[in-house]
Amino acid sequence: MHIVLDETAMAAAGQGNVLASRLIHRAHAETGWFLYAPACALVEADRARPGPAEHLAALPGITVLDLDLPAALAVAQHETWAAAHSRHAAQPTADRPDGAIVATTLPKRWGGQPVRILDLTP
């Protein structure tokens, strides 16, 4: 299971959201569960509420995704960097042929986007 945390999911994790906490636990404790934190979304989550970025980046079950050239080019074409980097991170790759699911607390924001959503709204 490959899951990309958008900035709303990261902020929710920092505020004690039970569903986000379960994802983090599973990624740490269970084989086959992978959580990704796109760097742009991590920055935006920390801007909204200082603190969770450093904490999430330090967790062993979360992989921070750098803003490499393909991601930067994808981000440049969209309005918000956080959403664009999350969307880019969820696209299929050689390691994730089916792509990844975007975990969010704002599922309506992703309407019409070519990504699968995991609603973390309690």
Side-chain angles (χ1 to χ4, degrees), residues 55-113:
H55 176 71
L56 289 170
L59 293 173
I62 296 180
T63 301
V64 176
L65 300 176
D66 294 331
L67 187 63
D68 59 7
L69 180 58
L73 295 174
V75 164
Q77 298 175 17
H78 296 280
E79 191 172 314
T80 67
W81 286 30
H85 199 186
S86 297
R87 178 181 168 182
H88 174 76
Q91 298 306 303
T93 66
D95 295 338
R96 300 182 308 270
D98 294 328
I101 299 167
V102 175
T104 185
T105 61
L106 290 176
K108 289 183 181 179
R109 166 211 215 175
W110 294 97
Q113 298 290 321

Side-chain angles (χ1 to χ4, degrees), residues 5-45:
L5 301 171
D6 77 358
E7 76 277 13
T8 68
M10 293 181 206
Q15 295 172 340
N17 179 294
V18 163
L19 299 173
S21 294
R22 286 181 187 164
L23 285 177
I24 292 167
H25 173 73
R26 281 195 154 180
H28 177 69
E30 294 184 31
T31 305
W33 281 78
F34 303 94
L35 281 185
Y36 304 97
C40 292
L42 198 59
V43 168
E44 194 59 37

